[in-house]
Amino acid sequence: MNSKSIASLERSQMTRGGSDGIYRCKRGLHGIGKVIDKSKWVHRSVLPSLSEEEQILVSKALDVLEIHLPPPDIDIIVKINIREGGLVTFTHSSDWKTATEPICGDMVGVKDLYSDRPVIFHRKQKGVPNIYHHKWMFVDDDYLGFDVPDAMEWSEIWENHPVVKALMADKNEYFRLKIGKQDYWQEKVLDRIGVSPTYEELINSTYIDRGRSAPNNIIPKYLPLSRKKLIKSWTSVQVFMPVIRYGFASRGLMSPLTIVGG
């Protein structure tokens, strides 16, 4: 990634900072969702609040996959990009309710949704997982899975911490590009500001209280996603059966895969 792209990424992450350099939690003009460049991330609970174009794209992705989303207590993060051919991904986050920076789990997505040959792809959870920051952006203010004001307060705490400011000031650190990795976040930020590996319990016990149903937030072994209609072609069967059984995609499935038949 070139320096121009890095600068663009960093600006998109910090648009809620004031002129005094202090980070304050404010929603952007787009409303609900975390926006970086051309992509928006939202929690599945706010899908009805998206624009008509975004909702149509999500529905088309589900139709291509021939699935429904799993039950509401399974936390799914939806990424939407209405440009560049149209892309939607669905990612399971198993500790969404309890962690301040939840993990990005198994994901299934569809790209080239505006074409007549959309492509299915998948990625399994990494050994060192990626994580989501500022999870209050992904949900509405009245979301009940965790305490939204406390989540906003935590964002302001770490964004304004001297340790983080020093990392951002170091041009060789590329802080914004690296904090999406759980191990970098733990080593460079949490350990240095004196927060333990169970930091969510120390910072905000409300996450734990609100997340007592979190054990139910694990992808069930069978049918977390229900099939919308019969699958007609052999190739589609190979693509979708692992999706239906495991939630997103079989860990051994090759990608990308182009839809045929239907």
Side-chain angles (χ1 to χ4, degrees):
M1 181 173 292
N2 59 39
S3 59
K4 184 176 180 180
S5 298
I6 293 169
S8 175
L9 174 60
E10 292 183 350
R11 284 198 301 273
S12 67
Q13 289 270 35
M14 291 300 294
T15 52
R16 292 162 186 81
S19 58
D20 56 4
I22 297 176
Y23 181 95
R24 296 180 178 87
C25 292
K26 295 181 181 179
R27 296 193 184 278
L29 296 177
H30 59 273
I32 301 169
K34 182 174 182 178
V35 175
I36 299 178
D37 292 334
K38 299 175 183 178
S39 296
K40 177 188 286 187
W41 287 260
V42 298
H43 183 267
R44 47 103 34 90
S45 62
V46 299
L47 289 177
S49 300
L50 296 176
S51 69
E52 181 179 2
E53 184 178 9
E54 290 168 334
Q55 291 189 53
I56 290 173
L57 200 64
V58 171
S59 295
K60 186 172 182 179
L62 291 171
D63 285 341
V64 169
L65 291 168
E66 298 191 338
I67 58 175
H68 293 288
L69 287 174
D73 62 335
I74 303 297
D75 290 308
I76 303 298
I77 305 304
V78 184
K79 175 185 176 182
I80 305 154
N81 188 326
I82 62 177
R83 303 178 187 178
E84 299 177 352
L87 176 144
V88 174
T89 67
F90 304 94
T91 304
H92 175 232
S93 182
S94 61
D95 59 353
W96 178 258
K97 296 181 179 73
T98 58
T100 51
E101 281 72 42
I103 64 172
C104 309
D106 291 350
M107 177 267 284
V108 64
V110 188
K111 63 181 180 179
D112 299 332
L113 279 163
Y114 292 129
S115 74
D116 58 359
R117 290 182 66 82
V119 176
I120 294 174
F121 60 96
H122 77 101
R123 298 188 184 113
K124 65 180 180 179
Q125 180 180 316
K126 296 180 179 179
V128 177
N130 290 332
I131 55 177
Y132 296 111
H133 293 282
H134 304 306
K135 67 180 185 177
W136 59 271
M137 294 182 184
F138 297 60
V139 299
D140 203 348
D141 291 339
D142 60 0
Y143 176 73
L144 297 178
F146 55 79
D147 191 286
V148 174
D150 282 350
M152 297 171 77
E153 181 180 1
W154 167 236
S155 287
E156 292 183 351
I157 288 172
W158 73 259
E159 284 279 10
N160 293 307
H161 198 282
V163 166
V164 170
K165 288 186 176 182
L167 288 167
M168 287 193 295
D170 186 346
K171 295 181 179 180
N172 296 319
E173 189 64 38
Y174 301 114
F175 176 71
R176 292 290 172 188
L177 293 179
K178 295 179 179 179
I179 59 171
K181 296 290 290 183
Q182 190 181 58
D183 55 352
Y184 178 90
W185 175 250
Q186 181 69 47
E187 176 186 352
K188 292 286 188 172
V189 178
L190 300 180
D191 289 348
R192 293 187 181 187
I193 65 177
V195 183
S196 76
T198 55
Y199 55 93
E200 68 272 10
E201 297 184 39
L202 301 177
I203 294 168
N204 180 17
S205 61
T206 305
Y207 286 153
I208 305 303
D209 295 337
R210 292 289 184 102
R212 292 199 183 281
S213 63
N216 298 324
N217 192 34
I218 299 172
I219 286 288
K221 185 174 181 180
Y222 298 105
L223 299 179
L225 301 175
S226 57
R227 190 162 52 189
K228 282 186 175 180
K229 53 189 176 182
L230 292 176
I231 299 170
K232 297 180 181 179
S233 76
W234 181 88
T235 303
S236 293
V237 170
Q238 304 307 306
V239 172
F240 288 119
M241 285 304 290
V243 173
I244 293 166
R245 178 170 181 179
Y246 297 107
F248 296 99
S250 168
R251 294 179 183 273
L253 198 62
M254 293 180 63
S255 64
L257 290 167
T258 303
I259 301 298
V260 297

